[in-house]
Amino acid sequence: DYGILQNFAAAIYDLGIAAASRKRVLCGIKTFFKFLKSAGYTDNDPSMLLETPRLGRALPDVLSVEEIDMIINAIDPATAEAERNRAIIETLYGCGLRVSELVDLEITRVALDDEYIIVRGKGNKERMVPMSPVAAGCIRNYIEGSRGDIVVKPEAANILFLNRRGNRLTRQMVFIMLRRLISTKKSRRTPCATPSPPTCSKVVPTCAQSSRCSAMKASRPPKSTCTPTTPACARKSYSITQGIWAGGEVEKFRSLETMRIG
């Protein structure tokens, strides 16, 4: 009955199970009772009164103003895509658009004087999004500047952001552009004044000759220095407790093979 289900829900709560896992279990119970009722096995559904835990929506991680400024400053103004990339970043960050909404943005839906854009989002729904004066200025500079130098394809004539071939951008192109800007900003950082010295390999030495590697810290020695010259470590292929050396066994094996060949 309902009391048993309620005790079960309280028991899994006391076990410390996450809310999402508890909700999945209780939803499975509700589905099972719906099947029993629809199949005629029972006329009562006690799971109808069973409440499932409500899941809170976690806030997404966003970039700070300083990080956005670092990405914008990484744009090389000498490149042909500088105005477009700056307008893309300002529009993405200032208007809070998805990348898919950005690449489908049309010129006729951008009101630069009134500083708003009309975005078509999921489910083909449209919404009006305000735009900052900085983003509006960047879009205006892009339209009047580098975009006018592109030979636009007829199917992309109304698309705002284009690639160098006159086609619309894709989500992957935007991701690659942002990744390059981030890597460029990281590469411009000042390197450390005192780099850490190279060290030898951290492999545990297996013989006396290779133990020199762990003691050397100033520079990496040649590979021949770390490699043992004597086969003292590698010759023991059998258990030492049995007193059997691989060298003698190899010689016996070779003699047997010679007799077979002869």
Side-chain angles (χ1 to χ4, degrees):
D1 55 354
Y2 172 72
I4 297 176
L5 295 179
Q6 192 175 16
N7 292 335
F8 174 75
I12 61 176
Y13 176 82
D14 294 336
L15 291 176
I17 300 176
S21 301
R22 289 187 284 115
K23 183 176 182 179
R24 186 163 55 250
V25 172
L26 297 179
C27 287
I29 294 175
K30 286 177 173 290
T31 304
F32 177 67
F33 273 99
K34 287 180 181 179
F35 163 74
L36 294 178
K37 188 175 181 180
S38 61
Y41 291 100
T42 180
D43 296 333
N44 184 22
D45 185 3
S47 65
M48 294 180 60
L49 301 177
L50 192 63
E51 295 183 359
T52 57
R54 296 182 179 179
L55 303 180
R57 299 182 62 182
L59 294 176
D61 295 332
V62 297
L63 297 175
S64 62
V65 179
E66 292 77 12
E67 291 172 336
I68 292 295
D69 291 337
M70 291 174 60
I71 297 176
I72 293 176
N73 295 332
I75 300 175
D76 188 4
T79 59
E81 296 84 8
E83 294 180 346
R84 184 203 65 184
N85 294 345
R86 184 181 178 87
I88 287 175
I89 297 175
E90 291 288 352
T91 306
L92 272 176
Y93 183 72
C95 300
L97 303 183
R98 303 181 180 92
V99 179
S100 58
E101 297 171 348
L102 176 83
V103 296
D104 293 337
L105 192 59
E106 298 177 353
I107 298 179
T108 55
R109 297 178 178 268
V110 178
L112 296 178
D113 295 334
D114 297 330
E115 296 180 353
Y116 73 90
I117 56 178
I118 299 176
V119 181
R120 183 182 291 109
K122 292 183 178 180
N124 205 22
K125 297 180 180 179
E126 295 183 352
R127 68 181 189 273
M128 184 180 298
V129 181
M131 171 171 52
S132 65
V134 178
C138 293
I139 294 177
R140 181 179 285 104
N141 294 336
Y142 166 64
I143 294 176
E144 297 176 355
S146 58
R147 192 185 186 281
D149 300 333
I150 301 175
V151 180
V152 183
K153 298 296 180 63
E155 60 273 13
N158 197 28
I159 300 299
L160 178 59
F161 297 109
L162 305 174
N163 57 16
R164 64 182 65 182
R165 297 179 181 86
N167 291 322
R168 67 170 63 204
L169 293 175
T170 61
R171 294 186 297 106
Q172 290 76 11
M173 292 179 183
V174 178
F175 293 150
I176 292 173
M177 181 266 293
L178 291 175
R179 190 180 298 113
R180 287 177 179 175
L181 292 177
I182 294 173
S183 61
T184 301
K185 188 61 182 178
K186 289 183 178 180
S187 63
R188 290 179 182 178
R189 293 181 179 178
T190 305
C192 181
T194 56
S196 58
T199 58
C200 189
S201 177
K202 295 182 180 180
V203 178
V204 178
T206 57
C207 58
Q209 285 77 9
S210 62
S211 62
R212 301 175 186 176
C213 298
S214 59
M216 301 183 68
K217 297 181 179 180
S219 61
R220 185 186 296 273
K223 292 184 179 180
S224 59
T225 306
C226 300
T227 305
T229 56
T230 59
C233 302
R235 292 179 62 184
K236 300 179 181 179
S237 61
Y238 296 129
S239 175
I240 299 178
T241 59
Q242 300 177 358
I244 300 176
W245 290 80
E249 297 295 332
V250 171
E251 294 298 332
K252 293 179 182 180
F253 179 75
R254 290 178 179 174
S255 62
L256 291 175
E257 291 295 327
T258 305
M259 293 174 62
R260 291 176 183 176
I261 295 174

